[in-house]
Structures are given as C-alpha cells and as structure tokens.
Amino acid sequence: MTANRLEFAVGLAKHAGQNTLQYFQKDNFQVEMKEDSTPVTIADRSTELLLRKRIETAFEDDGILGEEFPEKRGKSGYRWILDPIDGTKAFIHGVPLYGTLIGIEYNGKPLIGVIRMPALDETVYAQIGKGAWYVKGEKPPVAAKVSATQTLSEALVLTSEQMTFYQTNRHDRWERLLKASQQARTWGDCYGYLLVATGRADVMVDPEMSLWDAAALLPIIQEAGGLFTDWTDKITPAGGDGIATNGVLHDQVMDILLAP
C-alpha cells in the first residue's frame, strides 16, 4: 500500500501543480493576507482542495494536514502533509521558483516526500529506504544525489528570505555562514531543497518553517544522501526551522549556526 501512495503522490503533485499554472503570471487572482501576515491566493486554496479531494477519495482512512484548511484526522496511521504552493511570494510576482509539496508520514514518522516545480517542470521524490529520484519534463527518472563538496569555502549556500534571520534574531549566524561559504543565493523555498537533493547546491537553511514546509523535504534529502535537521541538530521536520546539507558539510554548518 505504501508503494501505491508514493506513485499516487507523484502523480497528484503533478496534477496539483498544473492547477497552479492556470493562475501563474496571469491577472485572474487577488492576493489576501492571512492572520500571520503571509499572503494567500485562490491558487493556494483551490490547489489544496484538489489535493484533499483526491486523497480522500483514494485513501479515505488517511489523515490530512494542510496549510490552508483544518486538519482531517485519520485512522490508518498515514497522514498526508500538504503545502499547495510553497513560495507564494514568488508565485505572486511571477517567479517560477515555487512548488507543490506533498509529505506522507506513517505513525508520526516521515516516509514519503514529493517536490513538484510546476513552472520549471521538475520533480524530485523519495521514500525512506527506496532512494530519491529526479524527473525533468518527460525524461525518465534518474537518481537524485547530493553534491560531494567537502568544505564550506567551496559551497553554494541557499536560503529563502534573509529578512527572516533578523525577525528570528539569527542574523549574526547567517552572516557567519555567508562569510564561510563560497557563495550564497536566495533561490529558496522548496526549490532550494530540490537543488541540494540534486547536487546543484550544497546547503539550504531556513530559520523559520512550518511542518507543511518541511515534511516532504526530510525523506528527499535523506534518500539523496544528505541530512535534514532542525537548528538543534535533531532529525525532524517538526522543529520549526530547517537545515539541509550534502551530509559532509553538516557539522561545519552546525558549528557556525550553534556557536554563541
């Protein structure tokens, strides 16, 4: 049944991503602000409703947690964790670095992750113990593998938004990481983690994350040969923040981020 969920999740992410494209770079939606001051659009909400409807039809006993609507409790042990548009700010501004995230956990443990980049036609997906896979367009899947970069002085470091480091009082740590790395870019949100999983970037850090931002990422980074932890060095998507590396660089990154 788990294999069925993986295959279903990959196809569902592609279908949901297609739904976002009917709004992307068009003038057919309005931007609203939620209570937490983050933006939301009809594209976010309609895509999550699409995801929920398909999941409830195929796996009616599974739980569902999404960013935009209340949680549905399940009784099968499986829970789907959804972010219909990760990178809503990019989406609103017509920037293609946004994605649809689907994570699946079993009895509270991360099991499956899918990142779908609709505007770029890229997908990376993984199941714990089964490897990570990358698909571009209609090409066959290839193994997703992290980079072999050995030192931070050679590394490309990514984040989603630098202002968040100031809002969480972690800007000094970000600046230390910048100085230690070769280069840094804000090719962030889920796209940054896709880049780490496929070896095109070496480190991705976010000082603030929700569970639906991170649930899909842990299986993907881990199965690609890397490491995903929170800022306390715990391997979890529920820590409220996230660090993904190629594994080799993890201790170097943590030494900087945890230094007083």
Side-chain angles (χ1 to χ4, degrees):
M1 288 298 291
T2 299
N4 292 343
R5 284 178 174 82
L6 175 62
E7 182 179 356
F8 183 84
V10 173
L12 180 58
K14 186 173 183 178
H15 183 51
Q18 192 66 31
N19 185 71
T20 71
L21 292 176
Q22 67 179 309
Y23 302 99
F24 182 61
Q25 295 183 342
K26 295 180 174 64
D27 296 325
N28 57 356
F29 66 90
Q30 293 182 330
V31 179
E32 303 172 38
M33 300 304 293
K34 295 189 286 190
E35 291 184 2
D36 62 0
S37 298
T38 59
V40 66
T41 72
I42 187 175
D44 300 81
R45 290 174 174 145
S46 68
T47 301
E48 183 167 324
L49 288 174
L50 182 156
L51 289 164
R52 285 172 174 267
K53 183 176 180 180
R54 291 280 305 276
I55 294 165
E56 289 171 357
T57 299
F59 304 101
E60 63 180 355
D61 291 332
D62 289 7
I64 303 174
L65 173 67
E67 180 174 5
E68 308 302 340
F69 297 99
E71 180 173 5
K72 175 203 170 187
R73 300 287 180 178
K75 53 186 179 181
S76 67
Y78 290 94
R79 182 169 70 157
W80 298 67
I81 304 174
L82 313 173
D83 193 345
I85 296 183
D86 185 66
T88 299
K89 293 176 183 177
F91 175 86
I92 288 168
H93 291 284
V95 177
L97 306 185
Y98 75 91
T100 295
L101 294 176
I102 298 178
I104 305 175
E105 61 182 24
Y106 182 66
N107 288 337
K109 296 182 178 180
L111 179 64
I112 287 169
V114 182
I115 301 172
R116 172 64 182 171
M117 307 298 298
L120 300 176
D121 202 7
E122 295 183 57
T123 305
V124 64
Y125 61 90
Q127 179 179 322
I128 296 296
K130 302 294 184 180
W133 302 91
Y134 170 73
V135 181
K136 172 67 175 177
E138 299 302 319
K139 296 179 180 178
V142 297
K145 296 181 180 179
V146 296
S147 73
T149 302
Q150 297 292 306
T151 65
L152 269 174
S153 62
E154 304 172 290
L156 169 58
V157 175
L158 306 177
T159 192
S160 295
E161 185 173 346
Q162 294 190 66
M163 183 58 68
T164 311
F165 289 95
Y166 290 88
Q167 294 168 343
T168 57
N169 295 316
R170 287 169 163 173
H171 57 279
D172 55 336
R173 304 182 193 189
W174 170 243
E175 289 171 1
R176 290 200 301 262
L177 187 59
L178 284 179
K179 291 177 181 178
S181 63
Q182 183 184 78
Q183 54 183 318
R185 295 290 184 270
T186 51
W187 301 333
D189 299 308
C190 60
Y191 188 59
Y193 295 94
L194 182 149
L195 292 178
V196 173
T198 55
R200 289 178 277 170
D202 308 297
V203 178
M204 173 75 186
V205 295
D206 274 311
E208 188 172 63
M209 301 181 83
S210 297
L211 180 57
W212 45 74
D213 299 316
L217 308 179
L218 191 155
I220 289 170
I221 297 297
Q222 181 172 311
E223 289 300 306
L227 190 60
F228 182 93
T229 72
D230 66 9
W231 281 54
T232 69
D233 209 12
K234 183 179 180 180
I235 299 175
T236 176
D241 42 39
I243 300 166
T245 71
N246 66 354
V248 177
L249 297 173
H250 182 77
D251 287 345
Q252 297 175 50
V253 172
M254 294 306 300
D255 285 345
I256 290 173
L257 296 183
L258 295 182

mmCIF file of all heavy atoms in Angstrom, residues 20-44:
data_model
loop_
_atom_site.group_PDB
_atom_site.id
_atom_site.type_symbol
_atom_site.label_atom_id
_atom_site.label_comp_id
_atom_site.label_asym_id
_atom_site.label_seq_id
_atom_site.Cartn_x
_atom_site.Cartn_y
_atom_site.Cartn_z
ATOM 1 N N THR A 20 -2.058 25.139 -10.486
ATOM 2 C CA THR A 20 -1.481 26.450 -10.169
ATOM 3 C C THR A 20 -1.143 27.235 -11.430
ATOM 4 O O THR A 20 -1.169 28.472 -11.414
ATOM 5 C CB THR A 20 -0.207 26.319 -9.316
ATOM 6 O OG1 THR A 20 0.875 25.774 -10.104
ATOM 7 C CG2 THR A 20 -0.446 25.443 -8.097
ATOM 8 N N LEU A 21 -0.833 26.546 -12.510
ATOM 9 C CA LEU A 21 -0.397 27.222 -13.727
ATOM 10 C C LEU A 21 -1.516 27.989 -14.418
ATOM 11 O O LEU A 21 -1.235 28.882 -15.227
ATOM 12 C CB LEU A 21 0.220 26.210 -14.700
ATOM 13 C CG LEU A 21 1.560 25.599 -14.248
ATOM 14 C CD1 LEU A 21 2.017 24.539 -15.249
ATOM 15 C CD2 LEU A 21 2.620 26.671 -14.069
ATOM 16 N N GLN A 22 -2.753 27.668 -14.080
ATOM 17 C CA GLN A 22 -3.849 28.440 -14.688
ATOM 18 C C GLN A 22 -3.935 29.850 -14.094
ATOM 19 O O GLN A 22 -4.647 30.716 -14.618
ATOM 20 C CB GLN A 22 -5.178 27.713 -14.525
ATOM 21 C CG GLN A 22 -5.684 27.600 -13.102
ATOM 22 C CD GLN A 22 -7.027 26.895 -13.031
ATOM 23 O OE1 GLN A 22 -7.965 27.255 -13.745
ATOM 24 N NE2 GLN A 22 -7.113 25.875 -12.182
ATOM 25 N N TYR A 23 -3.195 30.084 -12.994
ATOM 26 C CA TYR A 23 -3.141 31.408 -12.377
ATOM 27 C C TYR A 23 -1.770 32.069 -12.507
ATOM 28 O O TYR A 23 -1.665 33.297 -12.416
ATOM 29 C CB TYR A 23 -3.482 31.307 -10.885
ATOM 30 C CG TYR A 23 -4.828 30.698 -10.600
ATOM 31 C CD1 TYR A 23 -4.950 29.360 -10.234
ATOM 32 C CD2 TYR A 23 -5.991 31.455 -10.704
ATOM 33 C CE1 TYR A 23 -6.189 28.797 -9.967
ATOM 34 C CE2 TYR A 23 -7.234 30.911 -10.438
ATOM 35 C CZ TYR A 23 -7.327 29.573 -10.071
ATOM 36 O OH TYR A 23 -8.557 29.024 -9.815
ATOM 37 N N PHE A 24 -0.731 31.271 -12.707
ATOM 38 C CA PHE A 24 0.642 31.786 -12.682
ATOM 39 C C PHE A 24 0.891 32.766 -13.823
ATOM 40 O O PHE A 24 0.590 32.484 -14.980
ATOM 41 C CB PHE A 24 1.628 30.616 -12.764
ATOM 42 C CG PHE A 24 3.073 31.026 -12.702
ATOM 43 C CD1 PHE A 24 3.561 31.693 -11.582
ATOM 44 C CD2 PHE A 24 3.929 30.755 -13.748
ATOM 45 C CE1 PHE A 24 4.898 32.069 -11.514
ATOM 46 C CE2 PHE A 24 5.255 31.122 -13.692
ATOM 47 C CZ PHE A 24 5.742 31.783 -12.573
ATOM 48 N N GLN A 25 1.444 33.929 -13.475
ATOM 49 C CA GLN A 25 1.744 35.013 -14.424
ATOM 50 C C GLN A 25 0.502 35.493 -15.179
ATOM 51 O O GLN A 25 0.584 35.923 -16.324
ATOM 52 C CB GLN A 25 2.847 34.581 -15.412
ATOM 53 C CG GLN A 25 4.193 34.327 -14.739
ATOM 54 C CD GLN A 25 5.292 33.976 -15.706
ATOM 55 O OE1 GLN A 25 5.037 33.588 -16.866
ATOM 56 N NE2 GLN A 25 6.534 34.105 -15.273
ATOM 57 N N LYS A 26 -0.644 35.404 -14.491
ATOM 58 C CA LYS A 26 -1.895 35.888 -15.067
ATOM 59 C C LYS A 26 -2.538 36.900 -14.120
ATOM 60 O O LYS A 26 -2.109 37.042 -12.967
ATOM 61 C CB LYS A 26 -2.847 34.726 -15.349
ATOM 62 C CG LYS A 26 -2.308 33.760 -16.421
ATOM 63 C CD LYS A 26 -3.280 32.632 -16.664
ATOM 64 C CE LYS A 26 -2.835 31.750 -17.830
ATOM 65 N NZ LYS A 26 -1.561 31.055 -17.543
ATOM 66 N N ASP A 27 -3.563 37.587 -14.587
ATOM 67 C CA ASP A 27 -4.240 38.617 -13.795
ATOM 68 C C ASP A 27 -5.596 38.140 -13.279
ATOM 69 O O ASP A 27 -6.515 38.935 -13.091
ATOM 70 C CB ASP A 27 -4.446 39.884 -14.640
ATOM 71 C CG ASP A 27 -3.134 40.514 -15.055
ATOM 72 O OD1 ASP A 27 -2.184 40.459 -14.254
ATOM 73 O OD2 ASP A 27 -3.067 41.043 -16.175
ATOM 74 N N ASN A 28 -5.711 36.820 -13.027
ATOM 75 C CA ASN A 28 -7.010 36.258 -12.659
ATOM 76 C C ASN A 28 -7.091 35.865 -11.181
ATOM 77 O O ASN A 28 -7.858 34.991 -10.806
ATOM 78 C CB ASN A 28 -7.332 35.050 -13.543
ATOM 79 C CG ASN A 28 -6.257 33.965 -13.466
ATOM 80 O OD1 ASN A 28 -5.229 34.135 -12.801
ATOM 81 N ND2 ASN A 28 -6.485 32.854 -14.159
ATOM 82 N N PHE A 29 -6.293 36.519 -10.322
ATOM 83 C CA PHE A 29 -6.389 36.223 -8.895
ATOM 84 C C PHE A 29 -6.048 37.466 -8.090
ATOM 85 O O PHE A 29 -5.385 38.390 -8.569
ATOM 86 C CB PHE A 29 -5.469 35.065 -8.493
ATOM 87 C CG PHE A 29 -3.992 35.365 -8.628
ATOM 88 C CD1 PHE A 29 -3.276 35.919 -7.577
ATOM 89 C CD2 PHE A 29 -3.315 35.085 -9.810
ATOM 90 C CE1 PHE A 29 -1.927 36.193 -7.688
ATOM 91 C CE2 PHE A 29 -1.967 35.351 -9.936
ATOM 92 C CZ PHE A 29 -1.264 35.904 -8.874
ATOM 93 N N GLN A 30 -6.531 37.481 -6.844
ATOM 94 C CA GLN A 30 -6.232 38.557 -5.902
ATOM 95 C C GLN A 30 -5.412 37.993 -4.755
ATOM 96 O O GLN A 30 -5.511 36.810 -4.423
ATOM 97 C CB GLN A 30 -7.516 39.181 -5.368
ATOM 98 C CG GLN A 30 -8.333 39.936 -6.414
ATOM 99 C CD GLN A 30 -9.583 40.568 -5.815
ATOM 100 O OE1 GLN A 30 -10.147 40.071 -4.852
ATOM 101 N NE2 GLN A 30 -10.003 41.675 -6.405
ATOM 102 N N VAL A 31 -4.625 38.851 -4.148
ATOM 103 C CA VAL A 31 -3.790 38.458 -3.012
ATOM 104 C C VAL A 31 -4.443 38.922 -1.723
ATOM 105 O O VAL A 31 -4.807 40.091 -1.583
ATOM 106 C CB VAL A 31 -2.380 39.065 -3.129
ATOM 107 C CG1 VAL A 31 -1.528 38.664 -1.934
ATOM 108 C CG2 VAL A 31 -1.717 38.622 -4.433
ATOM 109 N N GLU A 32 -4.628 37.988 -0.792
ATOM 110 C CA GLU A 32 -5.147 38.305 0.541
ATOM 111 C C GLU A 32 -4.040 38.069 1.564
ATOM 112 O O GLU A 32 -3.101 37.312 1.310
ATOM 113 C CB GLU A 32 -6.345 37.416 0.872
ATOM 114 C CG GLU A 32 -7.496 37.488 -0.126
ATOM 115 C CD GLU A 32 -8.552 36.448 0.172
ATOM 116 O OE1 GLU A 32 -8.817 36.201 1.376
ATOM 117 O OE2 GLU A 32 -9.091 35.859 -0.778
ATOM 118 N N MET A 33 -4.162 38.692 2.729
ATOM 119 C CA MET A 33 -3.199 38.474 3.804
ATOM 120 C C MET A 33 -3.865 37.678 4.922
ATOM 121 O O MET A 33 -4.955 38.034 5.385
ATOM 122 C CB MET A 33 -2.677 39.802 4.340
ATOM 123 C CG MET A 33 -1.968 40.654 3.289
ATOM 124 S SD MET A 33 -0.572 39.816 2.463
ATOM 125 C CE MET A 33 0.574 39.649 3.830
ATOM 126 N N LYS A 34 -3.225 36.619 5.350
ATOM 127 C CA LYS A 34 -3.744 35.802 6.442
ATOM 128 C C LYS A 34 -3.408 36.451 7.790
ATOM 129 O O LYS A 34 -2.700 37.458 7.860
ATOM 130 C CB LYS A 34 -3.145 34.392 6.357
ATOM 131 C CG LYS A 34 -3.574 33.651 5.100
ATOM 132 C CD LYS A 34 -3.168 32.196 5.120
ATOM 133 C CE LYS A 34 -1.690 31.993 4.881
ATOM 134 N NZ LYS A 34 -1.335 30.563 4.672
ATOM 135 N N GLU A 35 -3.905 35.864 8.859
ATOM 136 C CA GLU A 35 -3.691 36.419 10.190
ATOM 137 C C GLU A 35 -2.211 36.477 10.562
ATOM 138 O O GLU A 35 -1.803 37.319 11.357
ATOM 139 C CB GLU A 35 -4.456 35.594 11.232
ATOM 140 C CG GLU A 35 -5.973 35.747 11.134
ATOM 141 C CD GLU A 35 -6.700 34.996 12.235
ATOM 142 O OE1 GLU A 35 -6.009 34.392 13.090
ATOM 143 O OE2 GLU A 35 -7.939 35.019 12.250
ATOM 144 N N ASP A 36 -1.406 35.581 9.981
ATOM 145 C CA ASP A 36 0.027 35.592 10.280
ATOM 146 C C ASP A 36 0.804 36.511 9.343
ATOM 147 O O ASP A 36 2.038 36.467 9.289
ATOM 148 C CB ASP A 36 0.607 34.176 10.230
ATOM 149 C CG ASP A 36 0.476 33.538 8.846
ATOM 150 O OD1 ASP A 36 -0.068 34.194 7.925
ATOM 151 O OD2 ASP A 36 0.915 32.393 8.687
ATOM 152 N N SER A 37 0.079 37.333 8.571
ATOM 153 C CA SER A 37 0.668 38.320 7.654
ATOM 154 C C SER A 37 1.362 37.701 6.451
ATOM 155 O O SER A 37 2.170 38.352 5.791
ATOM 156 C CB SER A 37 1.650 39.243 8.403
ATOM 157 O OG SER A 37 0.984 39.971 9.414
ATOM 158 N N THR A 38 1.041 36.451 6.147
ATOM 159 C CA THR A 38 1.560 35.833 4.934
ATOM 160 C C THR A 38 0.475 35.857 3.857
ATOM 161 O O THR A 38 -0.718 35.823 4.164
ATOM 162 C CB THR A 38 1.997 34.380 5.182
ATOM 163 O OG1 THR A 38 0.873 33.618 5.653
ATOM 164 C CG2 THR A 38 3.114 34.331 6.213
ATOM 165 N N PRO A 39 0.884 35.919 2.575
ATOM 166 C CA PRO A 39 -0.109 36.038 1.504
ATOM 167 C C PRO A 39 -0.735 34.701 1.140
ATOM 168 O O PRO A 39 -0.144 33.635 1.335
ATOM 169 C CB PRO A 39 0.725 36.584 0.340
ATOM 170 C CG PRO A 39 2.101 36.056 0.588
ATOM 171 C CD PRO A 39 2.263 36.025 2.080
ATOM 172 N N VAL A 40 -1.952 34.785 0.596
ATOM 173 C CA VAL A 40 -2.647 33.605 0.105
ATOM 174 C C VAL A 40 -3.495 34.021 -1.087
ATOM 175 O O VAL A 40 -3.944 35.165 -1.167
ATOM 176 C CB VAL A 40 -3.518 32.962 1.211
ATOM 177 C CG1 VAL A 40 -4.653 33.879 1.628
ATOM 178 C CG2 VAL A 40 -4.056 31.603 0.771
ATOM 179 N N THR A 41 -3.699 33.093 -2.017
ATOM 180 C CA THR A 41 -4.500 33.368 -3.207
ATOM 181 C C THR A 41 -5.453 32.216 -3.469
ATOM 182 O O THR A 41 -5.367 31.155 -2.833
ATOM 183 C CB THR A 41 -3.609 33.551 -4.450
ATOM 184 O OG1 THR A 41 -3.076 32.261 -4.832
ATOM 185 C CG2 THR A 41 -2.470 34.519 -4.196
ATOM 186 N N ILE A 42 -6.335 32.410 -4.439
ATOM 187 C CA ILE A 42 -7.232 31.334 -4.856
ATOM 188 C C ILE A 42 -6.440 30.145 -5.379
ATOM 189 O O ILE A 42 -6.883 28.996 -5.279
ATOM 190 C CB ILE A 42 -8.228 31.837 -5.928
ATOM 191 C CG1 ILE A 42 -9.275 30.756 -6.221
ATOM 192 C CG2 ILE A 42 -7.493 32.275 -7.196
ATOM 193 C CD1 ILE A 42 -10.357 31.226 -7.188
ATOM 194 N N ALA A 43 -5.249 30.391 -5.903
ATOM 195 C CA ALA A 43 -4.423 29.289 -6.398
ATOM 196 C C ALA A 43 -4.010 28.373 -5.249
ATOM 197 O O ALA A 43 -4.032 27.140 -5.382
ATOM 198 C CB ALA A 43 -3.196 29.843 -7.117
ATOM 199 N N ASP A 44 -3.611 28.964 -4.106
ATOM 200 C CA ASP A 44 -3.260 28.156 -2.930
ATOM 201 C C ASP A 44 -4.451 27.313 -2.485
ATOM 202 O O ASP A 44 -4.340 26.097 -2.277
ATOM 203 C CB ASP A 44 -2.840 29.062 -1.767
ATOM 204 C CG ASP A 44 -1.641 29.933 -2.073
ATOM 205 O OD1 ASP A 44 -1.822 30.985 -2.719
ATOM 206 O OD2 ASP A 44 -0.536 29.573 -1.661
#
